[in-house]
Amino acid sequence: MQRISLLLCLLLCLAKLANSSMAIEPPCARPLTLGWTHWPPYQYIDTEKIFTGLDIEIMMAMAKDTGCQIEYLELPWKRILKMIASGKIDLILGASITDERKEYANFSNPYRKEEVSLFVRKGESKKYHLDSLKDILIYDFILGVYSGVHYGEQFNRLTKRFNFKSQVQFLGNNTNNMKLLVRGRFDGTLEETYTAGHQIKENNLTGKIERYPLSPINTGDISIMFSKKNISINTINAHNKSLSALKENGTIERILEKYTLAPTNSSNNNTK
């Protein structure tokens, strides 16, 4: 009986040690490589040479909460997606969830929402009567968009039609679509509202661009994208737990409010 009692005691002690080890297991066994691209106001280096942005501030708060070490690597967006798929990069911020991306990546719970609006040169909204994006086919209208960026399912369906795609000009991620719009490179551009407001303000384009009074395109929730190749579910769960905590204590709300920009000044703007 004494031997059995000692054995049971030993087993219980081992079980407690195992549970304790699991409880303190770090969510990140090594530094995580985060791919980022210049994308104000979400990810950018400001005029004081400080790496910052809405998404970056949220990520830094999460890193502090989870204890994960993050290494930041700047690359073009399309290359980042390829490196996520191959496992050469661990995670990226500001990602929309699509069926194609689900093949090579997992996603965190959403941490913000995103809407895309149509912008045209100041005073030119009255030239067009658009009820949806497909109505640009009625006009000699060239639409400028960034290559590799998700603009919603409606846009994806439309680009599969040759007559619509022939009126779309795809831009590199290192270009400034608002500047090109003012210069007459195309007639309109799709842009996320925060980003457009930031570009208009930073490039002294106030009064030169207006938001077309078309209902914004909801491109869905925004999440963190993790490579399936080398990121464990334990790591993703730790980040989800951190997101929940940062929402509950108001940290994420304070960061979002900090980056809230006033709507584009436009007499034709009757949408949010």
Side-chain angles (χ1 to χ4, degrees):
M1 286 293 293
Q2 189 174 5
R3 286 185 177 181
I4 293 174
S5 296
L6 287 172
L7 182 60
L8 286 172
C9 182
L10 180 60
L11 290 173
L12 286 171
C13 288
L14 288 173
K16 287 182 179 180
L17 285 172
N19 289 334
S20 175
S21 176
M22 288 176 64
I24 63 173
E25 181 185 350
C28 306
R30 58 173 176 79
L32 301 182
T33 303
L34 187 153
W36 72 280
T37 192
H38 182 71
W39 183 23
Y42 300 104
Q43 310 167 28
Y44 68 107
I45 297 174
D46 66 16
T47 54
E48 297 180 359
K49 307 300 181 183
I50 297 173
F51 183 43
T52 187
L54 190 159
D55 287 343
I56 298 303
E57 287 199 31
I58 290 176
M59 186 69 245
M60 288 179 174
M62 292 177 65
K64 183 178 180 181
D65 185 51
T66 61
C68 292
Q69 182 180 344
I70 307 297
E71 297 178 348
Y72 298 90
L73 181 62
E74 184 180 11
L75 292 166
W77 179 255
K78 290 186 75 175
R79 189 184 303 174
I80 290 173
L81 292 177
K82 290 180 179 179
M83 292 177 75
I84 281 282
S86 66
K88 294 180 180 179
I89 284 179
D90 297 314
L91 69 157
I92 55 177
L93 306 172
S96 299
I97 301 174
T98 67
D99 290 338
E100 179 184 358
R101 292 174 180 177
K102 284 180 181 179
E103 294 179 5
Y104 56 83
N106 290 315
F107 296 84
S108 72
N109 294 334
Y111 64 90
R112 63 177 172 85
K113 294 184 180 293
E114 188 171 79
E115 288 185 338
V116 171
S117 295
L118 174 64
F119 292 86
V120 297
R121 286 179 289 276
K122 180 72 173 179
E124 294 193 3
S125 289
K126 59 188 177 183
K127 292 172 58 176
Y128 313 105
H129 299 283
L130 310 176
D131 293 319
S132 68
L133 277 181
K134 69 178 181 180
D135 290 337
I136 71 169
L137 293 169
I138 302 171
Y139 303 93
D140 183 19
F141 187 106
I142 300 300
L143 180 68
V145 300
Y146 287 116
S147 179
V149 173
H150 180 63
Y151 291 103
E153 293 306 319
Q154 181 195 29
F155 179 82
N156 290 343
R157 289 194 298 269
L158 287 170
T159 53
K160 292 178 181 178
R161 298 171 55 180
F162 177 77
N163 53 345
F164 181 87
K165 194 171 183 179
S166 66
Q167 291 182 225
V168 177
Q169 186 174 134
F170 291 95
L171 311 171
N173 294 110
N174 59 344
T175 58
N176 187 312
N177 58 342
M178 291 297 172
K179 283 185 177 180
L180 293 177
L181 173 63
V182 170
R183 293 171 185 169
R185 176 85 169 266
F186 33 77
D187 302 294
T189 187
L190 293 176
E191 187 57 271
E192 197 279 327
T193 307
Y194 278 124
T195 306
H198 181 88
Q199 286 197 30
I200 290 168
K201 179 180 177 181
E202 292 297 309
N203 293 286
N204 298 316
L205 299 177
T206 302
K208 298 181 180 180
I209 294 174
E210 63 191 23
R211 186 166 59 191
Y212 186 85
L214 183 69
S215 295
I217 301 167
N218 185 351
T219 59
D221 294 328
I222 298 301
S223 303
I224 304 169
M225 186 192 300
F226 297 91
S227 173
K228 280 186 176 181
K229 288 278 188 180
N230 47 13
I231 297 299
S232 69
I233 296 300
N234 177 56
T235 299
I236 297 172
N237 288 341
H239 283 80
N240 283 333
K241 183 179 179 181
S242 178
L243 279 174
S244 296
L246 294 174
K247 287 179 181 179
E248 288 178 9
N249 66 25
T251 298
I252 289 182
E253 183 178 356
R254 287 192 293 273
I255 293 172
L256 292 174
E257 287 179 352
K258 176 181 176 181
Y259 286 89
T260 297
L261 301 174
T264 304
N265 181 22
S266 170
S267 60
N268 293 292
N269 183 10
N270 59 13
T271 62
K272 180 181 178 297

